[in-house]
Amino acid sequence: MAPRSFWKGYLKLSLVTCPVAMTPATTENEKVRFHTLNRKTNNRVVSQYVDAVSGKPVNEDDEVKGYQRGEDDFVLLEDDELEAVGLESTRTIDIDMFVEADSIRWIWYDKPHYLVPDDPVGEEAFSVIRDAMASTGTVGISRLVLYRRERAVMLEPRGKGIILWTLRYGDEVRQPEEFFRNIDDGENDPELMRLVTTLIEERSKPWHPDMVSDPVQARLLEIISAKKKGRKRPAKAKAEEDHPSNVVDIMDVLRKSISSEKTKKTKGQ
């Protein structure tokens, strides 16, 4: 059974509108979650805002957002003032413009969501918008209120549906030139390139989600299972210590690496 949608609204392009539903494409529901407890009473501990000076709890009605402009000097903003700068409609994805699909680099992508038509009547309009983007090699750009923030979003046709990506804002992305400018851009030794390419070919495999499984999650579940059964917790896994030596001859090291890869492959057959 597909997860229940967490957002419903409308997809709009000019005068064409259709009802849509959206669900996050990723989930952390299977992650091990913990509560903080009072060790003495075994009761849960709750979070509460307290005044930094008096130490007294603050009532929810007395909480207000503040922008710091100096030491102990804040500009206070009420909820209605913050809401006034947001979109008028939080339930319509109005596509403002289209850009070439490959013109938005991966670093701007934030969180993916599955967007689908929400009733049979609107399915035709949804399909036309999706297929028109696919045939022109474009993606749609819009704005939407999600997770209590107004966000720029990108709509990407994918199979029968559309992937809606929230996009990072311009001031959130650092330019790579700041970090890469001092790296030598000279040409590499052709023989070194050949050896490293051989290593890559030896280690190449078809992609599978198991390649990014979470070993810490599995270990936590082992510990929890053992404690539930009253057994001692499993011994702590020892990390392999890696102390790389100063490489004097990279050519020799690469040849040894390739030889080692071939030996592993032969043993595994």
Side-chain angles (χ1 to χ4, degrees):
M1 182 183 295
R4 197 169 63 183
S5 58
F6 90 123
W7 183 96
K8 289 190 176 187
Y10 296 89
L11 177 63
K12 183 182 178 194
L13 174 59
S14 188
L15 299 178
V16 179
T17 304
C18 62
V20 290
M22 180 165 51
T23 304
T26 59
T27 178
E28 294 189 352
N29 288 346
E30 302 304 316
K31 291 289 185 185
V32 174
R33 299 182 184 278
F34 297 103
H35 296 292
T36 301
L37 306 179
N38 181 339
R39 186 188 295 274
K40 294 180 179 179
T41 64
N42 215 35
N43 296 330
R44 285 180 58 179
V45 174
V46 296
S47 299
Q48 187 177 35
Y49 284 110
V50 297
D51 188 295
V53 177
S54 70
K56 294 180 179 179
V58 178
N59 292 327
E60 188 174 346
D61 292 342
D62 293 327
E63 294 172 13
V64 63
K65 303 293 184 186
Y67 175 82
Q68 188 168 8
R69 60 184 175 187
E71 188 174 356
D72 298 326
D73 184 16
F74 297 86
V75 177
L76 303 185
L77 294 171
E78 301 296 337
D79 289 344
D80 57 348
E81 293 175 306
L82 294 172
E83 291 170 2
V85 300
L87 291 176
E88 291 183 7
S89 173
T90 61
R91 291 290 166 183
T92 301
I93 306 168
D94 191 352
I95 305 178
D96 302 315
M97 67 192 83
F98 296 89
V99 301
E100 292 183 7
D102 57 1
S103 65
I104 303 179
R105 292 179 299 155
W106 62 269
I107 199 168
W108 295 97
Y109 292 17
D110 182 25
K111 186 176 177 63
H113 305 75
Y114 294 132
L115 192 69
V116 298
D118 197 33
D119 72 18
V121 176
E123 193 168 319
E124 183 178 16
F126 179 92
S127 299
V128 167
I129 294 172
R130 176 201 63 206
D131 293 346
M133 287 193 293
S135 66
T136 56
T138 59
V139 292
I141 302 297
S142 184
R143 288 188 172 273
L144 185 63
V145 174
L146 278 178
Y147 310 108
R148 300 182 181 180
R149 281 181 60 191
E150 181 181 324
R151 297 170 184 269
V153 298
M154 180 189 84
L155 292 93
E156 174 192 11
R158 183 74 62 89
K160 294 182 180 181
I162 291 174
I163 304 293
L164 182 143
W165 285 89
T166 54
L167 298 176
R168 294 186 172 95
Y169 287 115
D171 58 1
E172 295 177 334
V173 176
R174 291 172 171 166
Q175 296 306 309
E177 292 78 15
E178 300 175 38
F179 306 93
F180 299 160
R181 66 164 63 97
N182 293 326
I183 300 176
D184 185 12
D185 57 0
E187 291 189 8
N188 290 304
D189 183 321
E191 179 62 10
L192 289 177
M193 282 291 292
R194 185 188 69 79
L195 290 171
V196 174
T197 301
T198 301
L199 260 181
I200 290 173
E201 290 170 352
E202 290 283 343
R203 293 192 170 202
S204 292
K205 298 178 181 179
W207 161 255
H208 193 279
D210 286 348
M211 293 178 178
V212 287
S213 59
D214 185 350
V216 173
Q217 174 88 352
R219 193 72 183 158
L220 282 171
L221 290 172
E222 279 183 39
I223 294 171
I224 292 169
S225 177
K227 287 197 163 237
K228 283 164 73 175
K229 294 176 181 177
R231 297 201 305 261
K232 289 180 63 177
R233 65 183 181 187
K236 184 178 179 180
K238 291 184 178 179
E240 292 184 14
E241 294 188 9
D242 189 11
H243 299 290
S245 58
N246 292 326
V247 177
V248 177
D249 187 346
I250 189 171
M251 191 83 73
D252 184 50
V253 171
L254 282 171
R255 288 190 176 114
K256 288 178 180 177
S257 296
I258 292 170
S259 176
S260 174
E261 291 294 322
K262 288 180 178 177
T263 302
K264 287 179 185 176
K265 187 169 284 188
T266 303
K267 289 181 178 179
Q269 291 176 347

